[in-house]
Structure formats: structure tokens, C-alpha cells
Amino acid sequence: MILAIESSCDDSALALMDRRGRLLFHERIEQGEAHAPHGGVVPELASRLHARNLPRLLESIADRLEAVEAIAVTHEPGLTVALAEGVVMAQAVALALKKPLIGVHHLRGHLYSLFLEREPVFPFSALIVSGGHTMIVESTAWDQHQEVATTLDDSMGEAFDKVAKMLDLGYPGGPAIEQLAKQGDADRFDLPLPLRQKSRLAFSYSGLKNSMRLLIEKQGRVDAQSRADLAAAFQKKAIAHLIQKSETYLKTARPKRLGVVGGVSANAALRTALEALCRRYGCELLLAPLAYCSDNAAMIARAGLEDLRHGRFIQPAEITIRSRSAIY
Ligand code: KG4
Ligand code: ZN
């Protein structure tokens, strides 16, 4: 079996998966509460908490390590000081067990969250919607992933987090906005649809975020109903933008399958909108299990399993940590 470690942002997670792709263990320690007072992730704090939490997780599976054949770890992209904690632990375990190391690209990990309950199918296209990325990717083989569209500024998750901060909803903002939006009237406030006139296949969330800022300022004191209406209006436009650009893509590329991964893909309104869109274009919608949309180690194990099957390893001394790196 494979041991997987994820620590690219504010979640420390470990997983064990057998060679057939069955998840044998998964545990995640989230840091949301620690970062909440700061309204976003503080890298040094994340790093310190990973240094404390990763060994705790490892200790809980100490008696199962003998059966581990390879160690997969997220090494890019992400917060370098956070990634380093997982990578150092992976190097130590690989050297101690004398087992090979596998470096997993975080976004490739997210793509493989689609295949936790089924074998991978190629080709497929996917929307990656997370706190760090908003893109369309085409996957043609286990190790072939091409970016075809990305955001010009903020990511979708980042916009949810920043708008949540403006509405005093805390961090992470996505789930808080989704909950509040359920009680709101999405049509009370009118917000602009990003890049509406442009045929260009790209995303943009900073304009929508700034419109929200102005709208909130204009309200002065925001009462509970207005707060819910604002959250609903924002969520509606944020999703409408993703759907409009996804439709542009589906019309031209006509993929057989469209996956959606990353933290924002847990949003029920987004899932419903994508289901309707895919139905219209006769495209199969691939979804990750809800519990594995946000950062986790199960998806890193699943991606690493492909490397194990194909014999792609990396020397412990040669693994690199990078904050930014294109998907491949
Ligand atoms: O994939 P992820 O856990 O981490 C990154 O790789 O970035 O994504 C985290 C992002 C955060 O911005 C969070 O607010 C957002 O996903 N998110 C959501 C929801 N759950 C998490 N956004 C909208 N609706 C949700 N239900
Ligand atoms: Zn992620």
C-alpha cells in the first residue's frame, strides 16, 4: 500500500491506500479555527501546526507502516513553509523504511479526487475551483494534464473567502457564504457578471469582489437579512460566471466528460448548476465525493498510486518544493 501526505495549505492529512485504490485510512486535522482571527491563512502559523499535527497522524498508524511500499507527498504548488513540513516527513519515512518517494503535484491530486470510487477514465476535462486556482484542464493520460483556461486575477475560492471577510463570516468563507445564501434573496442586489462581453476563455473574480465591497459600503450598517441577500447575490454571480465560461468551453471543445474538483466544488448550488449544464451538452459530469473536495490526502494517494503503478519515483534528496508550478 501507499502512504500519502498533504500539507500544502492549512490542512494536515495522511492516507493509506492499497494497490487497488481502496482507501484504508484517512485522517485530516484542519487549522481553520487557528487562522480565522486573521481572516486568512498565515503561512508561519500553518507550518508550525503541520509540524505538530503531522507526527500525531503518523503515530496513529505507526503499526501499519511496515506494509507501506511507497510514500507520496504533495511538493508543489502551495505555501512553501507548509509544503516543507510534509516533504521533510516524507523524506524521513522513505529513508527509514527504505521505500521509494513519489512527488505529487497538488492540482493533479485534486484531479484524482474524481477517481476515489472508480478507475480513472481518459480523456476528461475538469474545472479546478479552489482557494488557489480556477482553471479548466484537459487530461489525456495518467500523467498528461494541460491547462486550457485560468483566472486573470483572483481564484473563485479566494473571492468567497474575501467576500466572507467583508461580511464578517470568518474563514474559510465558502461554506459560510453557502449556508447564509440559503436564507437570502439572490435577486435583491444586482452585481455585474465578469467578462460577460468577452469571448475569451478565462475567468476573473476581482471585479465581482470589488463590486461587493462597494455594495456593502453603500449599505452602511448591514442587517441580518441584507447580509444573507448579499451572500446570495454574490454566490449567484460567482457561479453564473463559472457556468458561462464552462458553457463557452463545452460548445467548442465538446468533451465527453467534465469533472469539477477543489474546495469550491463542494458547493451544492454549483453542483446543481453544472449538472444542468452538462445535461444540456450531453456531457458526463464527474464529481468527487463531498468529503474529498477540499484538500485531503486520499486524492494524493490516488494520484501517487498511478506513479507507483508506472514506476515513477523521485530521490529523497532531489524532491523540490515550489510555491507555483504549472500543472503537468
Ligand atoms: O481545494 P481547497 O481545500 O484548497 C486549495 O487548494 O486552495 O479549497 C479551499 C477553498 C476555500 O477558498 C474555501 O472557501 C472554498 O474552497 N470552499 C467553498 C466551499 N467549501 C470550500 N467555496 C464555496 N462553497 C463551498 N461550500
Ligand atoms: Zn487544494
Side-chain angles (χ1 to χ4, degrees):
M1 65 188 180
I2 192 165
L3 166 69
I5 305 169
E6 158 67 38
S7 72
S8 64
C9 191
D10 60 344
D11 294 314
S12 314
L14 245 59
L16 288 172
M17 182 175 277
D18 72 13
R19 267 194 176 256
R20 291 169 59 192
R22 278 181 309 203
L23 191 60
L24 306 175
F25 170 88
H26 182 260
E27 202 68 60
R28 168 169 57 194
I29 303 181
E30 294 173 9
Q31 306 178 356
E33 268 176 38
H35 298 285
H38 308 281
V41 179
V42 181
E44 291 302 329
L45 180 57
S47 160
R48 231 180 312 137
L49 292 172
H50 286 311
R52 190 178 73 191
N53 294 334
L54 286 171
R56 283 186 183 165
L57 293 175
L58 189 66
E59 207 166 6
S60 71
I61 49 165
D63 57 338
R64 302 168 81 173
L65 292 180
E66 242 174 64
V68 167
E69 292 172 78
I71 298 96
V73 63
T74 307
H75 67 123
E76 61 184 13
L79 299 170
T80 51
V81 291
L83 287 166
E85 295 301 327
V87 167
V88 166
M89 192 168 87
Q91 286 169 315
V93 175
L95 290 168
L97 298 178
K98 298 192 173 63
K99 296 295 174 190
L101 190 60
I102 293 164
V104 176
H105 190 286
H106 183 74
L107 297 184
R108 191 162 74 88
H110 273 300
L111 292 180
Y112 274 93
S113 67
L114 298 172
F115 307 123
L116 288 170
E117 288 169 351
R118 62 184 285 183
E119 276 296 302
V121 282
F122 298 100
F124 71 92
S125 300
L127 295 166
I128 302 180
V129 279
S130 69
H133 298 86
T134 305
M135 49 171 72
I136 301 175
V137 165
E138 290 177 349
S139 294
T140 47
W142 76 277
D143 60 345
Q144 298 290 320
H145 315 286
Q146 284 290 327
E147 174 187 315
V148 294
T150 188
T151 177
L152 305 175
D153 39 65
D154 290 358
S155 74
M156 190 174 184
E158 204 177 341
F160 270 86
D161 292 336
K162 287 179 179 164
V163 167
K165 197 174 171 183
M166 294 174 203
L167 293 172
D168 290 325
L169 299 176
Y171 174 87
I177 290 201
E178 177 173 15
Q179 280 314 310
L180 192 58
K182 286 182 188 155
Q183 291 134 42
D185 170 8
D187 299 317
R188 178 173 154 202
F189 297 106
D190 195 26
L191 288 160
L193 187 65
L195 306 180
R196 191 175 58 187
Q197 310 295 351
K198 309 237 164 45
S199 58
R200 180 169 177 195
L201 194 56
F203 301 100
S204 169
Y205 278 97
S206 75
L208 181 59
K209 174 192 72 186
N210 289 331
S211 302
M212 276 300 286
R213 190 186 307 281
L214 295 174
L215 192 55
I216 292 168
E217 278 169 17
K218 215 171 87 185
Q219 302 307 305
R221 272 196 56 210
V222 180
D223 59 30
Q225 189 56 52
S226 299
R227 192 185 302 270
D229 296 343
L230 285 161
F234 165 74
Q235 177 173 278
K236 182 179 174 180
K237 280 285 152 56
I239 292 174
H241 172 44
L242 193 81
I243 294 294
Q244 196 203 21
K245 292 300 171 184
S246 300
E247 179 160 16
T248 303
Y249 173 71
L250 292 187
K251 258 186 205 160
T252 51
R254 290 275 167 187
K256 260 203 294 204
R257 311 175 185 95
L258 181 72
V260 55
V261 301
V264 187
S265 72
N267 187 292
L270 173 62
R271 286 180 172 237
T272 304
L274 280 170
E275 269 160 19
L277 178 71
C278 285
R279 213 175 303 123
R280 261 192 282 134
Y281 285 85
C283 176
E284 183 191 358
L285 179 64
L286 307 177
L287 295 167
L290 268 187
Y292 301 104
C293 291
S294 57
D295 290 348
N296 65 84
M299 67 187 195
I300 302 304
R302 190 60 194 79
L305 181 58
E306 293 301 312
D307 295 69
L308 177 63
R309 286 174 176 174
H310 292 88
R312 184 169 78 180
F313 303 115
I314 191 163
Q315 290 302 319
E318 275 160 24
I319 191 162
T320 52
I321 292 163
R322 286 192 292 188
S323 61
R324 291 167 165 277
S325 98
I327 192 164
Y328 56 85

mmCIF file of all heavy atoms in Angstrom, residues 18-40:
data_model
loop_
_atom_site.group_PDB
_atom_site.id
_atom_site.type_symbol
_atom_site.label_atom_id
_atom_site.label_comp_id
_atom_site.label_asym_id
_atom_site.label_seq_id
_atom_site.Cartn_x
_atom_site.Cartn_y
_atom_site.Cartn_z
ATOM 1 N N ASP A 18 -4.559 0.997 -0.698
ATOM 2 C CA ASP A 18 -3.939 -0.219 -1.227
ATOM 3 C C ASP A 18 -3.754 -0.099 -2.738
ATOM 4 O O ASP A 18 -4.196 0.874 -3.346
ATOM 5 C CB ASP A 18 -4.697 -1.490 -0.813
ATOM 6 C CG ASP A 18 -6.038 -1.649 -1.526
ATOM 7 O OD1 ASP A 18 -6.294 -0.936 -2.516
ATOM 8 O OD2 ASP A 18 -6.832 -2.508 -1.077
ATOM 9 N N ARG A 19 -3.083 -1.071 -3.312
ATOM 10 C CA ARG A 19 -2.731 -1.007 -4.735
ATOM 11 C C ARG A 19 -3.932 -1.001 -5.653
ATOM 12 O O ARG A 19 -3.835 -0.621 -6.819
ATOM 13 C CB ARG A 19 -1.820 -2.189 -5.098
ATOM 14 C CG ARG A 19 -0.357 -1.849 -4.984
ATOM 15 C CD ARG A 19 0.454 -2.930 -5.666
ATOM 16 N NE ARG A 19 1.870 -2.596 -5.667
ATOM 17 C CZ ARG A 19 2.512 -2.159 -6.744
ATOM 18 N NH1 ARG A 19 1.878 -1.990 -7.882
ATOM 19 N NH2 ARG A 19 3.791 -1.890 -6.686
ATOM 20 N N ARG A 20 -5.077 -1.449 -5.125
ATOM 21 C CA ARG A 20 -6.294 -1.441 -5.952
ATOM 22 C C ARG A 20 -7.060 -0.136 -5.843
ATOM 23 O O ARG A 20 -8.131 0.007 -6.412
ATOM 24 C CB ARG A 20 -7.190 -2.629 -5.565
ATOM 25 C CG ARG A 20 -6.559 -3.962 -5.987
ATOM 26 C CD ARG A 20 -7.289 -5.130 -5.387
ATOM 27 N NE ARG A 20 -8.701 -5.148 -5.786
ATOM 28 C CZ ARG A 20 -9.626 -5.928 -5.230
ATOM 29 N NH1 ARG A 20 -9.268 -6.733 -4.242
ATOM 30 N NH2 ARG A 20 -10.861 -5.906 -5.647
ATOM 31 N N GLY A 21 -6.499 0.801 -5.070
ATOM 32 C CA GLY A 21 -7.153 2.100 -4.953
ATOM 33 C C GLY A 21 -8.171 2.185 -3.837
ATOM 34 O O GLY A 21 -8.942 3.127 -3.763
ATOM 35 N N ARG A 22 -8.158 1.186 -2.966
ATOM 36 C CA ARG A 22 -9.092 1.241 -1.827
ATOM 37 C C ARG A 22 -8.460 2.048 -0.702
ATOM 38 O O ARG A 22 -7.312 1.783 -0.305
ATOM 39 C CB ARG A 22 -9.424 -0.169 -1.330
ATOM 40 C CG ARG A 22 -10.502 -0.826 -2.164
ATOM 41 C CD ARG A 22 -10.810 -2.188 -1.618
ATOM 42 N NE ARG A 22 -9.574 -2.976 -1.437
ATOM 43 C CZ ARG A 22 -9.536 -4.296 -1.405
ATOM 44 N NH1 ARG A 22 -10.636 -4.992 -1.514
ATOM 45 N NH2 ARG A 22 -8.382 -4.925 -1.232
ATOM 46 N N LEU A 23 -9.225 2.994 -0.199
ATOM 47 C CA LEU A 23 -8.741 3.857 0.878
ATOM 48 C C LEU A 23 -8.829 3.093 2.195
ATOM 49 O O LEU A 23 -9.901 2.681 2.615
ATOM 50 C CB LEU A 23 -9.616 5.115 0.920
ATOM 51 C CG LEU A 23 -9.131 6.266 1.797
ATOM 52 C CD1 LEU A 23 -7.766 6.767 1.336
ATOM 53 C CD2 LEU A 23 -10.155 7.406 1.755
ATOM 54 N N LEU A 24 -7.683 2.899 2.848
ATOM 55 C CA LEU A 24 -7.655 2.113 4.081
ATOM 56 C C LEU A 24 -7.678 3.007 5.309
ATOM 57 O O LEU A 24 -8.093 2.599 6.392
ATOM 58 C CB LEU A 24 -6.384 1.243 4.114
ATOM 59 C CG LEU A 24 -6.159 0.352 2.893
ATOM 60 C CD1 LEU A 24 -4.831 -0.360 3.003
ATOM 61 C CD2 LEU A 24 -7.301 -0.658 2.763
ATOM 62 N N PHE A 25 -7.200 4.228 5.129
ATOM 63 C CA PHE A 25 -7.134 5.173 6.256
ATOM 64 C C PHE A 25 -7.083 6.574 5.690
ATOM 65 O O PHE A 25 -6.409 6.823 4.692
ATOM 66 C CB PHE A 25 -5.853 4.891 7.073
ATOM 67 C CG PHE A 25 -5.541 5.943 8.113
ATOM 68 C CD1 PHE A 25 -6.077 5.858 9.401
ATOM 69 C CD2 PHE A 25 -4.710 7.018 7.807
ATOM 70 C CE1 PHE A 25 -5.785 6.842 10.353
ATOM 71 C CE2 PHE A 25 -4.422 7.997 8.763
ATOM 72 C CZ PHE A 25 -4.958 7.907 10.034
ATOM 73 N N HIS A 26 -7.841 7.479 6.333
ATOM 74 C CA HIS A 26 -7.680 8.889 6.002
ATOM 75 C C HIS A 26 -8.003 9.730 7.215
ATOM 76 O O HIS A 26 -9.030 9.539 7.860
ATOM 77 C CB HIS A 26 -8.580 9.334 4.836
ATOM 78 C CG HIS A 26 -8.354 10.783 4.484
ATOM 79 N ND1 HIS A 26 -9.181 11.791 4.906
ATOM 80 C CD2 HIS A 26 -7.336 11.373 3.807
ATOM 81 C CE1 HIS A 26 -8.688 12.953 4.477
ATOM 82 N NE2 HIS A 26 -7.581 12.729 3.817
ATOM 83 N N GLU A 27 -7.124 10.615 7.534
ATOM 84 C CA GLU A 27 -7.354 11.496 8.686
ATOM 85 C C GLU A 27 -6.826 12.875 8.328
ATOM 86 O O GLU A 27 -5.782 13.006 7.685
ATOM 87 C CB GLU A 27 -6.594 10.930 9.893
ATOM 88 C CG GLU A 27 -7.100 11.371 11.251
ATOM 89 C CD GLU A 27 -8.473 10.824 11.615
ATOM 90 O OE1 GLU A 27 -8.630 9.580 11.677
ATOM 91 O OE2 GLU A 27 -9.376 11.651 11.817
ATOM 92 N N ARG A 28 -7.607 13.883 8.734
ATOM 93 C CA ARG A 28 -7.202 15.259 8.413
ATOM 94 C C ARG A 28 -7.365 16.108 9.665
ATOM 95 O O ARG A 28 -8.361 15.998 10.367
ATOM 96 C CB ARG A 28 -8.092 15.783 7.286
ATOM 97 C CG ARG A 28 -7.997 17.282 7.042
ATOM 98 C CD ARG A 28 -8.708 17.675 5.751
ATOM 99 N NE ARG A 28 -10.115 17.253 5.758
ATOM 100 C CZ ARG A 28 -10.884 17.234 4.672
ATOM 101 N NH1 ARG A 28 -10.395 17.572 3.491
ATOM 102 N NH2 ARG A 28 -12.136 16.860 4.750
ATOM 103 N N ILE A 29 -6.371 16.933 9.926
ATOM 104 C CA ILE A 29 -6.507 17.900 11.023
ATOM 105 C C ILE A 29 -6.549 19.277 10.374
ATOM 106 O O ILE A 29 -5.585 19.701 9.733
ATOM 107 C CB ILE A 29 -5.350 17.807 12.045
ATOM 108 C CG1 ILE A 29 -5.256 16.385 12.629
ATOM 109 C CG2 ILE A 29 -5.561 18.834 13.157
ATOM 110 C CD1 ILE A 29 -4.158 16.185 13.664
ATOM 111 N N GLU A 30 -7.694 19.942 10.501
ATOM 112 C CA GLU A 30 -7.864 21.256 9.873
ATOM 113 C C GLU A 30 -7.369 22.350 10.813
ATOM 114 O O GLU A 30 -7.336 22.176 12.020
ATOM 115 C CB GLU A 30 -9.338 21.478 9.531
ATOM 116 C CG GLU A 30 -9.812 20.500 8.462
ATOM 117 C CD GLU A 30 -11.310 20.549 8.206
ATOM 118 O OE1 GLU A 30 -11.974 21.458 8.735
ATOM 119 O OE2 GLU A 30 -11.801 19.673 7.476
ATOM 120 N N GLN A 31 -6.995 23.477 10.221
ATOM 121 C CA GLN A 31 -6.468 24.575 11.039
ATOM 122 C C GLN A 31 -7.357 25.812 10.976
ATOM 123 O O GLN A 31 -6.965 26.888 11.441
ATOM 124 C CB GLN A 31 -5.069 24.966 10.537
ATOM 125 C CG GLN A 31 -4.083 23.828 10.457
ATOM 126 C CD GLN A 31 -2.740 24.275 9.897
ATOM 127 O OE1 GLN A 31 -2.586 25.427 9.500
ATOM 128 N NE2 GLN A 31 -1.781 23.381 9.861
ATOM 129 N N GLY A 32 -8.518 25.667 10.345
ATOM 130 C CA GLY A 32 -9.406 26.816 10.117
ATOM 131 C C GLY A 32 -9.543 27.748 11.314
ATOM 132 O O GLY A 32 -9.393 28.960 11.197
ATOM 133 N N GLU A 33 -9.774 27.148 12.484
ATOM 134 C CA GLU A 33 -10.006 27.968 13.679
ATOM 135 C C GLU A 33 -8.805 28.826 14.055
ATOM 136 O O GLU A 33 -8.952 29.957 14.504
ATOM 137 C CB GLU A 33 -10.340 27.064 14.863
ATOM 138 C CG GLU A 33 -11.834 26.854 15.005
ATOM 139 C CD GLU A 33 -12.173 25.879 16.118
ATOM 140 O OE1 GLU A 33 -11.500 25.906 17.170
ATOM 141 O OE2 GLU A 33 -13.106 25.085 15.908
ATOM 142 N N ALA A 34 -7.611 28.252 13.854
ATOM 143 C CA ALA A 34 -6.403 28.988 14.220
ATOM 144 C C ALA A 34 -6.183 30.195 13.308
ATOM 145 O O ALA A 34 -5.680 31.239 13.736
ATOM 146 C CB ALA A 34 -5.191 28.053 14.151
ATOM 147 N N HIS A 35 -6.585 30.048 12.038
ATOM 148 C CA HIS A 35 -6.366 31.138 11.084
ATOM 149 C C HIS A 35 -7.526 32.126 11.054
ATOM 150 O O HIS A 35 -7.358 33.256 10.590
ATOM 151 C CB HIS A 35 -6.137 30.575 9.676
ATOM 152 C CG HIS A 35 -4.914 29.710 9.569
ATOM 153 N ND1 HIS A 35 -3.641 30.234 9.539
ATOM 154 C CD2 HIS A 35 -4.765 28.366 9.503
ATOM 155 C CE1 HIS A 35 -2.761 29.239 9.462
ATOM 156 N NE2 HIS A 35 -3.426 28.089 9.436
ATOM 157 N N ALA A 36 -8.689 31.688 11.536
ATOM 158 C CA ALA A 36 -9.902 32.515 11.444
ATOM 159 C C ALA A 36 -9.728 33.953 11.949
ATOM 160 O O ALA A 36 -10.129 34.896 11.274
ATOM 161 C CB ALA A 36 -11.065 31.823 12.149
ATOM 162 N N PRO A 37 -9.087 34.143 13.120
ATOM 163 C CA PRO A 37 -8.949 35.526 13.609
ATOM 164 C C PRO A 37 -8.151 36.422 12.657
ATOM 165 O O PRO A 37 -8.283 37.637 12.694
ATOM 166 C CB PRO A 37 -8.194 35.372 14.936
ATOM 167 C CG PRO A 37 -8.328 33.941 15.310
ATOM 168 C CD PRO A 37 -8.510 33.175 14.051
ATOM 169 N N HIS A 38 -7.329 35.796 11.784
ATOM 170 C CA HIS A 38 -6.510 36.568 10.850
ATOM 171 C C HIS A 38 -7.200 36.766 9.505
ATOM 172 O O HIS A 38 -6.686 37.447 8.629
ATOM 173 C CB HIS A 38 -5.153 35.873 10.634
ATOM 174 C CG HIS A 38 -4.454 35.543 11.924
ATOM 175 N ND1 HIS A 38 -3.757 36.491 12.643
ATOM 176 C CD2 HIS A 38 -4.391 34.402 12.647
ATOM 177 C CE1 HIS A 38 -3.275 35.930 13.748
ATOM 178 N NE2 HIS A 38 -3.651 34.658 13.778
ATOM 179 N N GLY A 39 -8.357 36.136 9.325
ATOM 180 C CA GLY A 39 -9.124 36.312 8.088
ATOM 181 C C GLY A 39 -8.482 35.644 6.887
ATOM 182 O O GLY A 39 -8.840 35.934 5.749
ATOM 183 N N GLY A 40 -7.534 34.772 7.104
ATOM 184 C CA GLY A 40 -6.877 34.062 6.004
ATOM 185 C C GLY A 40 -5.741 33.239 6.578
ATOM 186 O O GLY A 40 -5.458 33.331 7.778
#
